[in-house]
Amino acid sequence: DLQMPEMDGIEAARQIRQLEKKRGLPPVFISALTANILPEDRDRCLDCGFNAYINKPIRLEQMEGVLREASEFRRHQLPARLGV
């Protein structure tokens, strides 16, 4: 969620991406979940490292699409994580 206490989702995604680069880790799938629905909100999320963006109220077809995308992403990342 982009509006979390202490650290918002934008900063969390930035830190995750920095940690991946620093440690040479393959990227994890990160999806934004937010009530912010302006096009610039979506662009900001994707620009800072999110793989997907879901706006509230959540629509089933949108959630299913992001879950499929995450599943495909993980399927392609799994060999890298296992060192294959």
Side-chain angles (χ1 to χ4, degrees):
D1 197 324
L2 294 184
Q3 298 177 3
M4 298 183 296
E6 311 234 357
M7 181 186 301
D8 66 23
I10 297 282
E11 183 59 25
R14 283 189 182 130
Q15 288 191 25
I16 290 168
R17 295 301 185 219
Q18 287 174 356
L19 184 63
E20 290 168 344
K21 286 180 185 176
K22 181 179 178 182
R23 295 192 179 169
L25 299 170
V28 297
F29 189 89
I30 304 173
S31 178
L33 174 62
T34 182
N36 302 340
I37 60 170
L38 298 176
E40 54 266 23
D41 296 322
R42 179 183 181 281
D43 293 343
R44 189 175 81 160
C45 289
L46 298 177
D47 288 346
C48 82
F50 285 90
N51 299 88
Y53 173 91
I54 301 170
N55 60 301
K56 298 175 187 175
I58 297 171
R59 294 180 316 278
L60 182 59
E61 60 277 356
Q62 183 182 26
M63 180 62 80
E64 288 173 339
V66 169
L67 291 173
R68 275 192 300 277
E69 187 179 340
S71 177
E72 280 298 312
F73 182 89
R74 179 158 171 77
R75 187 173 328 180
H76 288 54
Q77 292 298 320
L78 192 55
R81 290 184 185 280
L82 296 176
V84 177

